[in-house]
Every structure is written in structure tokens, then in C-alpha cells.
Amino acid sequence: MDRFKGIGVSRGVAVGDAFVIESERMPVRPRYIPEDQIEAEVERYDSAVVAAIEGIRDDQRRLTPRLGEEYLAIFETHIRMLDDRSLRDRVVERIRAGPMAAEAAADEVLRQHIQLLFEDKSTARWVSDIYDIQSRLHRILLGRSSGDLVELAEPAIIVAENLTPSQTVAFERGKVLAIAMEAGGETSHTAIIANALGIPAVVGLRGLTAGVRAGDRLIVDGGAGEVVTEPDQAILAQYVQIEHDIVESDRQLIDELHELPAETVAGRRITLYANIEFPYEVQTALDNGAEGIGLYRTEYLYMEKGREPTEEEHFEAYRSAAALMWPRPVVIRTFDLGADKATDSTGGPVTAEPNPFLGCRSIRLCFDRIGMFKAQLRAILRASVHGYVKILFPMITSLTELKRAKDILAEVREELDTEGYPFEPDVEVGVMIEVPGAAVMADAFAREVDFFSIGTNDLIQYTLAVDRGNPVVSDLFQPAHPAVMKLIKHTIEAGDAAGIPVAVCGQMSGDLSYLILLLGLGLRQFSTSPKITPELKRAIRLIKIEEAREIASEVMKEPSIERTIEILTTRSRELMK
Ligand code: PEP
Ligand code: MG
């Protein structure tokens, strides 16, 4: 029995057998071979290419009905690349020169090729295709299973070095008992998705893939952030009890608070919205007492389908959410695709970039794909007559960008008008404040929009230069950093001065230790995973705004992150007693 400690990102306990997914683009160790094995390695490479091409043909047959005919061309390109004579010559040359194993030679040649493609902007878009064929060859040569479109015969616990959000979305519902992976942080998109899907998940588990074999019995405790391998009966019984207690206390909390308002001790009303990724979560939000949807991450419509949704598909998703939530609001965020929320080369919109989080992500990608953006805006406007819909633009960095997004929205309005579609003419428009530059300029933005939503996940990532999904630097991902808090305070004040509502929709708003601080800074709207709405409500009902203000002013004078955390943890613990 072994225990691995990581970061619990989606509560719940699961027991099951491990299904280990080898990571894509895993570095291949150079393996040298004796001279007399050269010909065998050349043959092994040739057979791997044949098998890879067969695999592509299989995928083509399987996926074309789902992705549409236009994606056939991508499969054909991959086949051509693999079949290329000069690629084979270079790999064989490396095998002989090493002499080295086929996978090591192929890896070297393909990496050089990727480097060359990256150097030229016009060829960089091919990089993801080379990655694709590279990982296909690796899997065949090393006999590993792929993370793409994994089909699980039996329910299992997924163990991986890294899973992308698209891979997570693609799993068949009900087959994934839990997720345990080495990469990822608390605010990584895969963590957010696992939580939305109700799959217990632990991320940041160093050494996990080396310590777990396929078929090992595992316990995953998504609340405590623990994975236990090959547990004995006593441990198993202990975790079954933990799971039972969690379910029971969640149910009691919902029952106890459902009819009560989210208000502080002196009766100050606070609004609790829910963040959702999938349409069915609207019902979860209502069941948990949320007063609206504060963030609808629509990019999952794209990722679930593995292709661009049609206008009608967008419309249906938004119409049903708006109708079910009515008269409560539904804030629909336009596509935040790109970076980790990219689909792969079988239909994804994103070409590989050296720094995808700083690249063509989110609103930038929408400007690059006007047709896709307009189809979504048309659908949102059309859905606006079926409920209370608002539009939220993500990752806005400059006023020029905001103006461009609003101009496109105005064009779409005109088009719908001409075509005779009904829509709400004054749909409220907001921006996410999630780039430090936008937070600094919050007063200027406040004059141009109807509301702000502070995305602390990205705001922290960009302010502190720390990848939100990288466990190696997860200690540096600090909401308590004074720079982050100053940007949040400035944004709340700018919103207040302009008389527009400000919400926080990043994970920080669901963290009880930051609740007092945010209330003390003047925040009155929170948008969180619907599952924590009851807990948040209970905490709010114990808080005095005066006290929260005092704590916030003490913290804002504090330059030390550690001391700030200490103050907030102690005060929130006292409060929850
Ligand atoms: C954020 O960045 O805080 C946010 C809410 O958006 P996402 O997590 O989808 O990037
Ligand atoms: Mg964000």
C-alpha cells in the first residue's frame, strides 16, 4: 500500500482499478542498440508507420460521422506526412548513425522538424500535426495507450501525467470513477471540468505514474487530495465511511439553507451565482440555491463536440439555460478557447504556439475566426428573448479590443434585425477582468460596459507569471500576493465609482478564507462552482461587514504573503466555529 499526496480539486471518494494513460509528447530517452540490431530497428520503424497509418484510417472511419467530412483532409495530411520518403530516410539514417532504437531516432528527427516549423510563422500551424504523428508513432513503438478518445471497457480510475480538458470532456460519462494526475493546479481547466462533471479528482501528484500500474486497485479522495494504492480492507472501509459522511453533510447543508437568503449578520444581501460548463448544471445550480449563472464557460460546447457548434446548437444550449433560470440572469461568456482549452489537430481551432497562454487565446482567437464568433453572438442574442441573458467577453486587454468586440456585436444585431429575428435590444455587456493591464485600466473599462467579472484564475497567473496548471510552481500561485489584492481592490472600486456591478468568478471566490477579505473590499457578488454555494451561504450568514472591512484594511497594509494567509486563515477559522 502506498499513499500519494496532491491537491484535491473535486470532492468525493472513489474506489476502482487504475487505467493508466501515457502522456502525449513524453520525452523519449535515447536508447542505443548494438550494431547487429540495426536492421531489426529499421523494420520495427517501418511496421510502426504501417500500423500508424492503419490507426489513422480507423479513426477516420470512426470520427468522420461525428466531426464531418471537412476533417477528412486532416487525416489525409497525417497519412501523407507519415508516408513521406524523406522522413523515413532521415529516421533510418539516425538509427544507423546511433546506432539507436527506432523511437529515439524518430523522436530526434521529428523534434528537429518541429523546431524548423516553429521558426517560420507560415509553417508553425503544422506543428500540432507533427506532434500528433509523433505521439502516434511513440505509442506504437513503446506499446502505450493514448489519451485521445480513450474508450474504457469498464469503469476505471484514470491515472495520467497530464490530461487536457478536451480529453476529460471526451470520456464516456459514468465510466470515469475518478481522475488522478501528476500535472495540474487548483485552478487548471481540467480540475474545473472534473468538478463540473462531479468526478472526484486529485492533481499535482508527483511520481504517481511511476508508482501505479494499470489494473492496480486505488482509492482517490478528491477532498483530502490523496491517492492510496492497493488498500487493505480496513483502509477501504474508512474511505467508504468518509464518502458517506460527505454526501450526508452536503445534503443536510442544502436542506438547512435552501430557503434562507445569503445575507450577512446585519442583513446585507450578497448575491451568489454559479459557474457552469455544461447545460445540465443549470439544474444543479438551482438545487444548490444559486441566484443565477455568473459564468457560463461556453467553450465546452465546442470541446464536447470536438468541432465548432452550429448556430442552432449554440442557441438551443443558451435558450434552455436562460428559460430554466428565468427570471434569474445567465451570464454567457463568449468562447475562451485556446491555450489548454484547445482541441487537438482533428478539428481544433488552434495551431501549436510556443507560449499558448500568451498567444492567440480567447477573444483574440474569436477575432481570428469571425464566422465562429458571429455564430455564437447571434445565438446569444436570439436566446435573449427566452430569459435574462447577459454577454461577457473574456481576456479583454485593451479598450481597442473591447470596442472591436462591441462593433462585431452591433453588426450581428443589425443582421438579426434585417433577418427578422427577435432579440433583447439592450442585452447587458460585461468584460472579464483577468489580465493585469485591464485591471489597472478598470476605470476606463467601467465607462464602457454594464458589469465586471473578475477572473482571478487568470489574473493571478498573469500578474505573478505562474502557470495555473503547473504543479511545480503551484506554491507561487498566491491569491494573497499584495499585487493581486491591489488589482482586485482597484477593480471593485472602479466598478463602484461607475455604478456597475462587480463579481469575482475565479476559484478564489469559492475559497472560504478569502471570503471575508473580498467582502471587506466591497465585493457583493460571487460566482462559484454550484456545489459550494451552500457552504458559502452558511459562511456569509456568520459574517459582520464591519469586521470584514477591518480585516481587509489590515491585510491591505500587509506586504507579506505568509502573514496575510495567516491572518485570513485564523479569522475565517474563528468565524466558522
Ligand atoms: C478565471 O480566469 O478566473 C476564470 C473564471 O476563467 P477560466 O477559469 O475559465 O479561465
Ligand atoms: Mg480566465
Side-chain angles (χ1 to χ4, degrees):
M1 192 174 85
D2 267 324
R3 265 178 212 273
F4 292 86
K5 189 81 191 130
I7 309 165
V9 291
S10 177
R11 279 205 312 170
V13 173
V15 179
D17 294 341
F19 184 96
V20 183
I21 294 175
E22 294 294 342
S23 120
E24 297 291 297
R25 292 171 224 165
M26 237 173 48
V28 172
R29 260 185 242 113
R31 183 166 67 85
Y32 292 96
I33 52 166
E35 297 268 342
D36 61 357
Q37 271 180 28
I38 290 176
E39 291 319 311
E41 282 304 296
V42 172
E43 260 176 49
R44 208 161 69 83
Y45 175 75
D46 286 338
S47 319
V49 170
V50 171
I53 292 175
E54 271 170 23
I56 296 173
R57 294 248 180 262
D58 278 352
D59 286 353
Q60 204 171 22
R61 275 188 291 275
R62 201 160 44 92
L63 296 175
T64 303
R66 189 171 142 195
L67 302 179
E69 291 288 331
E70 68 258 50
Y71 294 107
L72 274 175
I74 294 165
F75 293 119
E76 292 301 334
T77 309
H78 289 191
I79 292 174
R80 261 201 318 280
M81 285 172 167
L82 271 166
D83 218 12
D84 181 44
R85 189 76 212 170
S86 72
L87 172 66
R88 181 190 185 267
D89 289 349
R90 282 160 62 208
V91 174
V92 171
E93 202 181 292
R94 275 312 292 146
I95 294 177
R96 293 191 196 289
M100 58 167 59
E103 67 274 6
D107 187 60
E108 223 181 273
V109 169
L110 289 169
R111 270 192 294 123
Q112 282 164 2
H113 195 50
I114 286 168
Q115 211 44 49
L116 284 177
L117 292 177
F118 260 141
E119 278 166 19
D120 183 344
K121 221 176 158 196
S122 68
T123 55
R125 68 199 182 89
W126 295 110
V127 168
S128 61
D129 296 288
I130 302 290
Y131 275 143
D132 210 277
I133 62 170
Q134 184 185 31
S135 51
R136 208 178 264 277
L137 277 177
H138 284 173
R139 289 194 304 264
I140 295 166
L141 286 163
L142 300 173
R144 292 168 172 165
S145 59
S146 131
D148 287 344
L149 299 168
V150 166
E151 277 164 23
L152 297 168
E154 295 295 328
I157 291 176
I158 302 292
V159 171
E161 189 180 277
N162 192 13
L163 274 185
T164 63
S166 348
Q167 287 171 326
T168 313
V169 170
F171 287 126
E172 195 185 328
R173 300 281 143 85
K175 286 276 178 72
V176 179
L177 302 174
I179 291 173
M181 65 183 208
E182 296 205 15
E186 212 166 331
T187 65
S188 59
H189 287 118
T190 302
I192 292 171
I193 277 300
N195 189 51
L197 294 170
I199 302 171
V202 183
V203 301
L205 289 153
R206 289 203 202 176
L208 180 77
T209 48
V212 173
R213 279 159 311 160
D216 279 358
R217 189 112 262 235
L218 301 183
I219 299 174
V220 174
D221 182 344
E226 258 185 3
V227 173
V228 183
T229 62
E230 299 296 340
D232 57 31
Q233 279 308 319
I235 295 282
L236 212 50
Q238 196 182 322
Y239 278 93
V240 169
Q241 187 60 42
I242 293 176
E243 171 67 352
H244 175 268
D245 294 349
I246 293 174
V247 172
E248 196 46 36
S249 79
D250 282 356
R251 200 187 50 74
Q252 272 177 16
L253 200 58
I254 292 177
D255 288 352
E256 198 183 299
L257 292 167
H258 204 267
E259 301 306 320
L260 299 174
E263 61 183 25
T264 60
V265 172
R268 168 87 62 150
R269 278 293 269 120
I270 306 298
T271 311
L272 295 182
Y273 291 136
N275 293 349
I276 63 164
E277 285 71 38
F278 304 104
Y280 69 81
E281 289 180 281
V282 175
Q283 193 54 53
T284 319
L286 287 169
D287 294 345
N288 285 274
E291 295 163 85
I293 303 299
L295 173 67
Y296 185 168
R297 289 183 166 102
T298 59
E299 49 281 2
Y300 291 100
L301 278 177
Y302 191 119
M303 291 160 69
E304 256 191 319
K305 294 186 189 307
R307 62 163 171 80
E308 207 178 304
T310 61
E311 182 181 320
E312 288 314 308
E313 286 166 341
H314 276 296
F315 172 69
E316 191 37 41
Y318 309 150
R319 188 206 57 77
S320 62
L324 199 56
M325 263 291 152
W326 170 258
R328 304 168 195 85
V330 177
V331 177
I332 302 177
R333 181 176 73 180
T334 56
F335 275 157
D336 186 36
L337 282 163
D340 59 338
K341 283 188 283 192
T343 52
D344 65 12
S345 54
T346 49
V350 184
T351 48
E353 297 173 286
N355 286 305
F357 274 100
L358 302 179
C360 189
R361 181 191 165 194
S362 198
I363 196 78
R364 301 171 187 177
L365 185 77
C366 288
F367 290 156
D368 224 38
R369 311 252 161 165
I370 293 290
M372 176 180 88
F373 191 34
K374 277 188 157 181
Q376 180 172 38
L377 292 174
R378 284 173 63 93
I380 301 176
L381 285 178
R382 286 175 52 201
S384 65
V385 289
H386 297 275
Y388 180 10
V389 163
K390 305 187 195 192
I391 298 177
L392 178 61
F393 293 127
M395 219 189 151
I396 294 282
T397 308
S398 66
L399 285 169
T400 318
E401 256 174 358
L402 174 62
K403 180 169 179 322
R404 188 161 173 205
K406 285 169 69 175
D407 284 350
I408 296 168
L409 182 64
E411 267 172 48
V412 168
R413 272 200 193 101
E414 271 177 36
E415 282 168 19
L416 288 178
D417 210 22
T418 316
E419 291 165 38
Y421 282 106
F423 60 89
E424 168 59 51
D426 298 316
V427 169
E428 291 161 57
V429 173
V431 278
M432 301 258 323
I433 300 289
E434 53 182 348
V435 176
V440 170
M441 295 292 292
D443 5 22
F445 280 107
R447 290 192 286 273
E448 304 295 330
V449 292
D450 301 305
F451 64 97
F452 280 161
S453 194
I454 307 178
T456 49
N457 304 338
D458 279 314
L459 187 62
I460 298 168
Q461 152 164 278
Y462 293 129
T463 306
L464 306 181
V466 49
D467 180 344
R468 61 194 264 191
N470 182 348
V472 179
V473 289
S474 63
D475 286 354
L476 303 177
F477 191 91
Q478 287 296 353
H481 192 295
V484 172
M485 291 193 292
K486 283 191 173 138
L487 291 174
I488 293 174
K489 179 169 185 277
H490 178 66
T491 306
I492 296 173
E493 285 170 355
D496 284 352
I500 61 166
V502 181
V504 168
C505 64
Q507 311 291 88
M508 183 181 174
S509 67
D511 186 328
L512 291 183
S513 52
Y514 291 105
L515 178 68
I516 314 183
L517 171 70
L518 292 171
L519 284 171
L521 291 178
L523 192 80
R524 299 291 175 262
Q525 295 190 353
F526 294 77
S527 193
T528 66
S529 155
K531 295 188 192 119
I532 45 179
T533 309
E535 250 178 278
L536 224 50
K537 198 195 267 188
R538 180 176 58 181
I540 286 166
R541 293 178 59 80
L542 295 168
I543 291 177
K544 293 195 182 89
I545 287 284
E546 292 320 313
E547 239 175 61
R549 283 208 190 103
E550 268 167 39
I551 295 167
S553 85
E554 183 186 345
V555 160
M556 292 311 289
K557 286 186 220 125
E558 184 53 67
S560 144
I561 300 174
E562 292 72 23
R563 179 77 193 115
T564 300
I565 294 175
E566 201 181 305
I567 299 170
L568 294 177
T569 321
T570 320
R571 299 304 288 258
S572 56
R573 245 191 236 131
E574 279 167 13
L575 190 89
M576 299 304 148
K577 262 190 208 150

